[in-house]
Amino acid sequence: MTPVLKTLYSEKIRSSLKTQLGVENIHQVPKLDKIVINCSVGSQGERKQAIEDAVNEVQLITGQKPVITKSKKAIANFKLRIGENVGVKVTLRGNKMYDFLMRLVRTALPRVRDFRGVAPRSFDGRGNYTLGITDQSIFPEIELEKIKRSLGFDITFVTSTNNDDHARELLRALGMPFRGKINQQGGKSESAETEAAAA
C-alpha cells in the first residue's frame, strides 16, 4: 500500500512547490531521496550489550534492520580501538522512508516535552537537514519499561536539491514542524495543509 505522505507529495505537494519555488520543470522540484538514522553508543559502558540494544530498538523504530558502524580511530579516554563497534545506522528509502517520516512528525515529535518545533537552520549547505533526537522513548514502538539505557539519534534527511531554502520548503510541505508557521510568501504553511490532508 502506498503511504499517504508519498501520495500527497505526488498529487499535490510537488505541483505546489513548483509554483512556490518558481522552477520551470517539474523534475527540478526537490524531493526526499533518503533518510539516514545514526545511533552512536561509543562512549557507553558495556558497549557490546549497548550495541545489541541499539540494533533491536532502531529496528523497532524504523522497521528495517540496521548495520553496525565501526570506529575509524582509537580514542584512549573511551578505551576505544580502531574497528570496534560504536553504533548502528539505517538508510530508509521509498515507502519505508515516507512511513517513518509520517510517524516522526505526527506521533514522535509531538511527544517531546515542551516541544515548540524543530530548528529551521540545521542544514549543511547542500540541501540536507539533520535532526537530533536525545531519547528513544518518544517513539511509540518502544516500550518504556523495557528501556535499559538512553539512546540518542541523528536523523538526516537527504534531498535532491543543493539549495537549503528549497529543501526547507520541501520538508515543511511534508509536515516537518519547523519553528514558525508562516512560509516565505507570508501565507499558510504547507505543513498545516499536510496535517489536514493526512488526518
Short mmCIF file of all heavy atoms in Angstrom, two decimals, residues 41-44 46-48 51 68-87:
data_model
loop_
_atom_site.label_atom_id
_atom_site.label_comp_id
_atom_site.label_asym_id
_atom_site.label_seq_id
_atom_site.Cartn_x
_atom_site.Cartn_y
_atom_site.Cartn_z
N VAL A 41 26.83 4.58 20.29
CA VAL A 41 26.92 4.17 21.70
C VAL A 41 28.40 4.07 22.10
O VAL A 41 28.74 3.38 23.04
CB VAL A 41 26.23 2.80 21.92
CG1 VAL A 41 24.74 2.92 21.63
CG2 VAL A 41 26.85 1.70 21.06
N GLY A 42 29.25 4.78 21.37
CA GLY A 42 30.69 4.64 21.54
C GLY A 42 31.21 4.96 22.92
O GLY A 42 32.21 4.41 23.35
N SER A 43 30.54 5.85 23.66
CA SER A 43 31.06 6.26 24.95
C SER A 43 30.38 5.56 26.12
O SER A 43 30.61 5.88 27.27
CB SER A 43 30.89 7.78 25.12
OG SER A 43 29.52 8.12 25.07
N GLN A 44 29.51 4.59 25.82
CA GLN A 44 28.77 3.92 26.88
C GLN A 44 29.50 2.69 27.39
O GLN A 44 30.23 2.02 26.64
CB GLN A 44 27.37 3.51 26.39
CG GLN A 44 26.52 4.70 25.99
CD GLN A 44 25.04 4.36 26.05
OE1 GLN A 44 24.64 3.45 26.75
NE2 GLN A 44 24.23 5.11 25.34
N GLU A 46 29.69 -1.22 28.85
CA GLU A 46 29.07 -2.45 28.34
C GLU A 46 28.68 -2.26 26.88
O GLU A 46 27.54 -2.47 26.49
CB GLU A 46 27.85 -2.84 29.18
CG GLU A 46 28.15 -3.07 30.65
CD GLU A 46 26.91 -3.43 31.45
OE1 GLU A 46 25.81 -3.45 30.84
OE2 GLU A 46 27.02 -3.69 32.63
N ARG A 47 29.67 -1.87 26.07
CA ARG A 47 29.40 -1.48 24.69
C ARG A 47 28.74 -2.60 23.88
O ARG A 47 27.86 -2.35 23.05
CB ARG A 47 30.70 -1.03 24.03
CG ARG A 47 30.48 -0.31 22.69
CD ARG A 47 31.79 0.25 22.16
NE ARG A 47 32.25 1.37 22.96
CZ ARG A 47 33.45 1.41 23.56
NH1 ARG A 47 34.28 0.41 23.44
NH2 ARG A 47 33.80 2.47 24.25
N LYS A 48 29.14 -3.84 24.11
CA LYS A 48 28.56 -4.95 23.34
C LYS A 48 27.07 -5.06 23.56
O LYS A 48 26.29 -5.20 22.60
CB LYS A 48 29.25 -6.27 23.71
CG LYS A 48 28.75 -7.46 22.92
CD LYS A 48 29.50 -8.74 23.30
CE LYS A 48 28.99 -9.92 22.50
NZ LYS A 48 29.70 -11.18 22.86
N ILE A 51 25.23 -2.09 21.96
CA ILE A 51 25.06 -2.25 20.52
C ILE A 51 23.86 -3.14 20.22
O ILE A 51 23.02 -2.84 19.34
CB ILE A 51 26.33 -2.83 19.87
CG1 ILE A 51 27.46 -1.80 19.88
CG2 ILE A 51 26.05 -3.31 18.45
CD1 ILE A 51 27.26 -0.65 18.93
N ILE A 68 25.85 -2.27 11.68
CA ILE A 68 26.68 -1.83 12.78
C ILE A 68 27.85 -1.00 12.24
O ILE A 68 28.51 -1.41 11.28
CB ILE A 68 27.19 -3.03 13.59
CG1 ILE A 68 26.01 -3.76 14.25
CG2 ILE A 68 28.20 -2.59 14.64
CD1 ILE A 68 26.40 -5.03 14.97
N THR A 69 28.07 0.17 12.82
CA THR A 69 29.18 1.02 12.40
C THR A 69 30.38 0.80 13.31
O THR A 69 30.23 0.48 14.49
CB THR A 69 28.77 2.51 12.43
OG1 THR A 69 28.30 2.85 13.75
CG2 THR A 69 27.65 2.76 11.44
N LYS A 70 31.57 0.99 12.75
CA LYS A 70 32.81 0.73 13.49
C LYS A 70 33.65 2.00 13.61
O LYS A 70 33.57 2.89 12.76
CB LYS A 70 33.61 -0.38 12.80
CG LYS A 70 32.86 -1.71 12.72
CD LYS A 70 33.68 -2.78 12.04
CE LYS A 70 32.94 -4.10 11.95
NZ LYS A 70 32.65 -4.68 13.29
N SER A 71 34.46 2.06 14.65
CA SER A 71 35.31 3.23 14.87
C SER A 71 36.43 3.28 13.82
O SER A 71 36.96 2.26 13.40
CB SER A 71 35.93 3.18 16.26
OG SER A 71 36.76 2.05 16.40
N LYS A 72 36.75 4.52 13.38
CA LYS A 72 37.80 4.71 12.39
C LYS A 72 39.13 5.09 13.03
O LYS A 72 40.16 5.13 12.35
CB LYS A 72 37.37 5.78 11.39
CG LYS A 72 36.15 5.36 10.57
CD LYS A 72 35.78 6.43 9.56
CE LYS A 72 34.56 5.99 8.74
NZ LYS A 72 34.16 7.03 7.76
N LYS A 73 39.08 5.42 14.33
CA LYS A 73 40.33 5.74 15.02
C LYS A 73 40.21 5.35 16.49
O LYS A 73 39.11 5.17 17.02
CB LYS A 73 40.66 7.22 14.90
CG LYS A 73 39.64 8.15 15.50
CD LYS A 73 40.06 9.62 15.30
CE LYS A 73 39.05 10.57 15.91
NZ LYS A 73 39.46 11.98 15.73
N ALA A 74 41.33 5.21 17.14
CA ALA A 74 41.34 4.83 18.55
C ALA A 74 41.22 6.07 19.44
O ALA A 74 41.78 7.12 19.12
CB ALA A 74 42.63 4.09 18.88
N ILE A 75 40.45 5.92 20.53
CA ILE A 75 40.30 7.01 21.50
C ILE A 75 40.59 6.43 22.88
O ILE A 75 39.78 5.67 23.43
CB ILE A 75 38.90 7.63 21.45
CG1 ILE A 75 38.58 8.12 20.03
CG2 ILE A 75 38.78 8.77 22.46
CD1 ILE A 75 37.17 8.67 19.87
N ALA A 76 41.73 6.77 23.43
CA ALA A 76 42.17 6.15 24.68
C ALA A 76 41.22 6.45 25.84
O ALA A 76 40.96 5.58 26.68
CB ALA A 76 43.58 6.64 25.02
N ASN A 77 40.70 7.67 25.90
CA ASN A 77 39.83 8.04 27.02
C ASN A 77 38.57 7.17 27.10
O ASN A 77 38.00 6.99 28.17
CB ASN A 77 39.43 9.52 26.91
CG ASN A 77 40.58 10.45 27.20
OD1 ASN A 77 41.60 10.03 27.73
ND2 ASN A 77 40.43 11.71 26.83
N PHE A 78 38.11 6.69 25.94
CA PHE A 78 36.92 5.85 25.89
C PHE A 78 37.27 4.37 25.78
O PHE A 78 36.38 3.53 25.59
CB PHE A 78 36.03 6.24 24.70
CG PHE A 78 35.43 7.61 24.81
CD1 PHE A 78 35.26 8.40 23.68
CD2 PHE A 78 35.03 8.10 26.04
CE1 PHE A 78 34.70 9.66 23.79
CE2 PHE A 78 34.46 9.36 26.15
CZ PHE A 78 34.30 10.15 25.03
N LYS A 79 38.57 4.07 25.90
CA LYS A 79 39.04 2.69 25.76
C LYS A 79 38.54 2.08 24.44
O LYS A 79 38.06 0.96 24.38
CB LYS A 79 38.58 1.83 26.94
CG LYS A 79 39.13 2.31 28.28
CD LYS A 79 38.65 1.44 29.43
CE LYS A 79 39.20 1.94 30.76
NZ LYS A 79 38.73 1.13 31.90
N LEU A 80 38.67 2.89 23.39
CA LEU A 80 38.14 2.52 22.08
C LEU A 80 39.28 2.22 21.12
O LEU A 80 40.21 3.01 20.98
CB LEU A 80 37.27 3.66 21.54
CG LEU A 80 36.54 3.42 20.22
CD1 LEU A 80 35.48 2.34 20.39
CD2 LEU A 80 35.88 4.72 19.75
N ARG A 81 39.19 1.05 20.46
CA ARG A 81 40.20 0.66 19.48
C ARG A 81 39.65 0.82 18.07
O ARG A 81 38.44 0.84 17.87
CB ARG A 81 40.62 -0.79 19.71
CG ARG A 81 41.26 -1.05 21.06
CD ARG A 81 41.78 -2.47 21.17
NE ARG A 81 40.70 -3.44 21.07
CZ ARG A 81 40.01 -3.88 22.11
NH1 ARG A 81 40.28 -3.45 23.33
NH2 ARG A 81 39.04 -4.77 21.96
N ILE A 82 40.55 0.90 17.10
CA ILE A 82 40.15 1.00 15.70
C ILE A 82 39.38 -0.27 15.30
O ILE A 82 39.77 -1.38 15.62
CB ILE A 82 41.37 1.19 14.79
CG1 ILE A 82 42.05 2.53 15.06
CG2 ILE A 82 40.98 1.10 13.31
CD1 ILE A 82 43.34 2.74 14.29
N GLY A 83 38.26 -0.08 14.60
CA GLY A 83 37.47 -1.21 14.13
C GLY A 83 36.48 -1.76 15.12
O GLY A 83 35.79 -2.75 14.85
N GLU A 84 36.38 -1.14 16.29
CA GLU A 84 35.44 -1.61 17.31
C GLU A 84 34.03 -1.09 17.01
O GLU A 84 33.87 0.03 16.50
CB GLU A 84 35.90 -1.14 18.69
CG GLU A 84 35.21 -1.86 19.83
CD GLU A 84 35.90 -1.62 21.16
OE1 GLU A 84 36.96 -0.98 21.17
OE2 GLU A 84 35.37 -2.08 22.18
N ASN A 85 33.01 -1.88 17.34
CA ASN A 85 31.64 -1.46 17.11
C ASN A 85 31.29 -0.26 17.99
O ASN A 85 31.49 -0.29 19.21
CB ASN A 85 30.67 -2.61 17.43
CG ASN A 85 30.86 -3.80 16.51
OD1 ASN A 85 31.43 -3.67 15.43
ND2 ASN A 85 30.40 -4.95 16.93
N VAL A 86 30.74 0.79 17.36
CA VAL A 86 30.44 2.01 18.13
C VAL A 86 29.00 2.50 17.92
O VAL A 86 28.57 3.43 18.60
CB VAL A 86 31.40 3.15 17.77
CG1 VAL A 86 32.80 2.85 18.25
CG2 VAL A 86 31.39 3.44 16.27
N GLY A 87 28.26 1.92 17.00
CA GLY A 87 26.91 2.40 16.77
C GLY A 87 26.20 1.61 15.68
O GLY A 87 26.70 0.59 15.20
#
